[in-house]
Amino acid sequence: MDAVVTGSSPSSADALKAAGNAELGSAEFAAIANIMQRDARIHLTPAKITLVQSRLSRRLRAHGLSTFRDYVQMVGADAEERAAMIVALTTNHTHFFRENHHFEHLCRTAMPWLQDRARRQPVRIWSAGCSSGEEVYTIAMCLLGTSSASASWLRQGDVRLLATDLAPHVVASAAKGVYSAETVAPIPAAYRDQWMRQVGPDYVMVEEARALVTARVLNLFDAWPMRQQYDVIFCRNVMIYFDDAAKAELEARFVDMLAPGGYLYIGHSERLIGAATKAMSNCGQTIYVKHGGRT
Ligand SMILES: C[S@@+](CC[C@H](N)C(=O)[O-])C[C@H]1O[C@@H](n2cnc3c(N)ncnc32)[C@H](O)[C@@H]1O
């Protein structure tokens, strides 16, 4: 299970002190938690204090600051550092074919519907909170299949995958599509051999796969620049970091963004709440379909 910041033991707090890190007091933690809630809707409970201290100590050192008081003052006045702080407090853990039952559903159930639509209209798929791109390229490989022939429907239609995240460094990785041998290990060989090529020690997504994907920085709570509706949205292991009000708000926006009959995939420990529950039906483990698309 992922977490933005996980709890840590008293011994790790001692280790932090011994390493010369500044101590994070409750007032400064509360100020940081407020900024996280306001700007990214990320909810930090007091149990995260040691990890927040650990993650931000590097930021203090980078600015030559010795107290969190000074750092909090700095982020209050400096939007760039505020953004860097938010990024430092996100967790970007991801991997190829994570929660594989979603990709089985995508291949078996969603694909025939998407292929049918692609004959008549543009098809749009969004990996929201994409981290370094493993999720969006897993989707791409499912759509491409395991041969050049199985990918022909994508060449004939207008199919695009959007990958967004608030952390610029992971979006840059998603745009590049370059992964280590260890990272590509979960990819079935038939997909990897067809859609990646080895360059030195790394594996690079081939151009046909990369060309399907547009990677952009986007805070999910800002305005969304996309104009058309989406057929499939993946937002997995992102909403665990939000409180219920933020989850309900975001899920309602996903519903508005989805075409009737479109699919929403969420993380294994997440659930739909609020207005979204009325507009969507559960059609698999953490998979939802928007009402109105099929008879
Ligand atoms: C644990 S990763 C999940 C990656 C991928 N979806 C998966 O399930 O493997 C969570 C991602 O959500 C992003 N994130 C957190 N809050 C966000 C927000 N308000 N807007 C956009 N992205 C956010 C983080 O930067 C991080 O890369």
Side-chain angles (χ1 to χ4, degrees):
M1 153 102 168
D2 305 303
V4 164
V5 278
T6 50
S8 71
S9 62
S11 59
S12 62
D14 293 345
L16 280 170
K17 263 190 226 159
N21 287 321
E23 200 165 340
L24 175 58
S26 54
E28 287 75 27
F29 173 78
I32 289 165
N34 276 340
I35 294 171
M36 293 300 288
Q37 179 68 34
R38 186 194 66 200
D39 291 3
R41 303 292 289 270
I42 290 174
H43 183 63
L44 293 177
T45 64
K48 316 288 191 198
I49 191 164
T50 308
L51 246 296
V52 171
Q53 175 176 318
S54 156
R55 292 228 182 145
L56 294 184
S57 288
R58 223 171 297 144
R59 305 287 329 144
L60 266 72
R61 280 198 295 276
H63 291 290
L65 300 175
S66 55
T67 69
F68 271 96
R69 206 162 162 207
D70 292 342
Y71 184 68
V72 164
Q73 220 163 50
M74 180 181 204
V75 291
D78 179 340
E80 212 173 297
E81 184 53 34
R82 230 169 16 250
M85 179 187 87
I86 291 166
V87 167
L89 293 177
T90 58
T91 286
N92 313 114
H93 174 75
T94 184
H95 56 84
F96 283 103
F97 287 87
R98 182 180 198 180
E99 298 180 47
N100 193 39
H101 62 277
H102 285 157
F103 302 106
E104 285 169 359
H105 179 276
L106 181 69
C107 287
R108 291 195 192 128
T109 307
M111 271 255 295
W113 180 68
L114 294 173
Q115 287 174 328
D116 183 52
R117 281 168 88 74
R119 283 192 270 277
R120 298 186 306 274
Q121 62 191 82
V123 165
R124 296 291 180 262
I125 297 176
W126 183 13
S127 164
C130 63
S131 190
S132 36
E134 286 86 336
E135 180 176 89
V136 78
Y137 289 117
T138 302
I139 299 169
M141 287 188 280
C142 289
L143 301 183
L144 287 158
T146 54
S147 70
S148 179
S150 60
S152 64
W153 72 282
L154 295 166
R155 288 178 214 121
Q156 285 149 20
D158 171 11
V159 182
R160 308 272 326 143
L161 279 60
L162 174 68
T164 66
D165 200 285
L166 67 64
H169 69 292
V170 291
V171 173
S173 298
K176 272 199 204 138
V178 178
Y179 299 98
S180 68
E182 195 187 339
T183 305
V184 304
I187 304 176
Y191 285 120
R192 195 195 55 217
D193 295 349
Q194 184 68 32
W195 304 117
M196 303 189 98
R197 74 192 148 79
Q198 197 169 356
V199 178
D202 294 327
Y203 288 77
V204 182
M205 299 306 308
V206 301
E207 187 50 29
E208 186 166 7
R210 234 159 27 100
L212 291 171
V213 174
T214 303
R216 293 278 181 269
V217 175
L218 178 70
N219 182 335
L220 289 168
F221 293 95
D222 287 347
W224 297 346
M226 305 87 88
R227 293 188 205 293
Q228 70 282 62
Q229 285 198 304
Y230 274 64
D231 301 288
V232 172
I233 299 175
F234 277 68
C235 185
R236 308 184 311 158
N237 309 300
V238 179
M239 291 189 279
I240 39 170
Y241 307 135
F242 307 148
D243 62 18
D244 280 356
K247 281 180 204 167
E249 180 185 321
L250 185 58
E251 289 170 359
R253 290 178 75 191
F254 285 145
V255 168
D256 285 347
M257 184 48 96
L258 271 176
Y263 293 101
L264 174 66
Y265 299 83
I266 64 176
H268 62 98
S269 61
E270 295 160 337
R271 69 196 164 92
L272 281 197
I273 53 172
T277 56
K278 296 193 172 62
M280 312 274 291
S281 293
N282 180 249
C283 61
Q285 191 187 339
T286 51
I287 308 170
Y288 298 86
V289 59
K290 181 170 165 177
H291 296 163
R294 295 176 196 79
T295 48

